[in-house]
């Protein structure tokens, strides 16, 4: 079970002030050093990199103090007082996040494929879903909008059985922070593709999106052929449907 934070609102407000002051001080120092704002702009990347160590000294202790359980608080305080351990903790945390993110995404795509294939087989619908192999590889090359270098994220290809003719592609995302606009932009220029692949439908499956009112993605994804949410709390609207509706829509393709 997720640990409830022990960090208070007062501590959070103080931390936010410290972070804001840290970055403001660094930017003001850059103005003093380079003079011209545009010259500061030319160095923004290295300026941001230069503040990393000081940011770690504020960010990592805040995370430890915010989420540590009362019985482990003393242990974490000992760790974050040791600067070497502090920076090791930051590297460990980054490694964990960088590993979990693609792991979750790849696992989600495999689960979507498996659930769909079981459901398709149960209903004797003559299509199947694949996540790898020569069919997917060859199709990926044909779906690039050459002049703009647009291509969709092809996580799953839906093919007819037994012809193995692709009829749809499914982009699978745990959240829409992951390059969804690239897929939407590709959809806008699909008419530039060869005639035999223009009819391929483009679907999106998401894990945690709720598509609440006012969410920009709620409107953006309406350009896709179908959006299916694995989240019972999602606000259904237009092409946004529950995941279970995808089976019927795949059957309609035939």
């Amino acid at each position: 079970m997720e640990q409830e934070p022990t960090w208070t609102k007062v501590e959070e407000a103080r931390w936010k002030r410290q972070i804001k002051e840290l970055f403001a001080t660094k930017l003001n120092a850059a103005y003093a050093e380079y003079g011209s704002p545009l010259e500061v702009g030319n160095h923004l990347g290295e300026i941001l990199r230069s503040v990393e160590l000081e940011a770690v000294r504020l960010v990592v202790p805040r995370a430890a103090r915010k989420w540590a359980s009362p019985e482990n608080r003393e242990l974490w305080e000992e760790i974050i007082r040791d600067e070497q351990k502090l920076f090791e903790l930051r590297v460990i945390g980054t490694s964990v996040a960088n590993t979990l993110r693609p792991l979750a995404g790849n696992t989600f795509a495999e689960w979507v494929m498996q659930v769909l294939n079981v459901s398709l087989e149960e209903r004797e619908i003559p299509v199947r879903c694949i996540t790898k192999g020569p069919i997917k590889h060859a199709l990926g090359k044909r779906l690039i909008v050459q002049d703009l270098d647009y291509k969709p994220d092809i996580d799953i290809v839906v093919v007819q059985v037994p012809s193995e003719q692709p009829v749809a592609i499914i982009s699978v995302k745990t959240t829409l922070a992951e390059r969804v606009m690239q897929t939407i932009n590709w959809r806008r220029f699909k008419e530039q593709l060869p005639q035999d692949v223009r009819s391929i439908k483009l679907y999106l499956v998401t894990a945690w999106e709720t598509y609440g009112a006012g969410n920009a993605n709620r409107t953006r994804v309406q350009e896709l052929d179908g959006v299916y949410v694995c989240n019972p709390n999602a606000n259904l609207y237009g092409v946004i449907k529950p995941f279970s509706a995808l089976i019927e829509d795949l059957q309609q393709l035939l």
Side-chain angles (χ1 to χ4, degrees), residues 3 68-75:
Q3 173 70 39
S69 59
E71 59 268 26
N72 290 325
R73 188 76 178 260
E74 199 171 310
L75 171 64

Side-chain angles (χ1 to χ4, degrees), residues 44-186:
L44 277 181
E46 61 193 68
I47 295 166
L48 185 60
R49 190 180 297 114
S50 72
V51 79
E52 180 181 14
L53 297 183
E54 294 162 88
V56 167
R57 292 189 182 103
L58 291 174
V59 170
V60 176
R62 178 249 192 179
R65 289 168 180 151
K66 183 174 182 178
W67 295 103
S69 59
E71 59 268 26
N72 290 325
R73 188 76 178 260
E74 199 171 310
L75 171 64
W76 285 110
E77 287 292 343
E78 181 182 341
I79 290 173
I80 61 182
R81 278 196 298 267
D82 183 323
E83 190 151 289
Q84 181 177 348
K85 290 178 182 177
L86 179 73
F87 285 98
E88 285 181 4
L89 182 59
R90 184 255 184 181
V91 173
I92 291 168
T94 300
S95 177
V96 169
N98 289 343
T99 301
L100 283 177
R101 194 177 300 112
L103 183 62
N106 293 338
T107 300
F108 183 51
E110 288 295 318
W111 282 1
V112 168
M113 179 195 70
Q114 291 176 23
V115 170
L116 285 175
N117 280 338
V118 169
S119 302
L120 291 165
E121 187 173 347
E122 284 178 350
R123 291 163 177 75
E124 298 183 345
I125 300 173
V127 298
R128 65 185 176 95
C129 300
I130 59 175
T131 56
K132 57 188 174 183
I135 296 174
K136 178 183 175 184
H137 183 71
L139 182 62
K141 290 184 175 180
R142 304 205 68 215
L143 293 181
I144 297 175
V145 179
Q146 298 292 347
D147 293 341
L148 301 171
D149 197 29
Y150 285 150
K151 60 181 178 180
D153 285 324
I154 308 174
D155 295 303
I156 296 173
V157 179
V158 183
V159 298
Q160 289 184 337
V161 176
S163 69
E164 297 193 331
Q165 176 69 29
V167 292
I169 58 176
I170 303 175
S171 180
V172 180
K173 299 283 175 247
T174 52
T175 74
L176 295 193
E178 305 173 42
R179 299 171 61 199
V180 68
M181 282 309 301
Q182 176 180 323
T183 296
I184 292 173
N185 285 335
W186 175 85

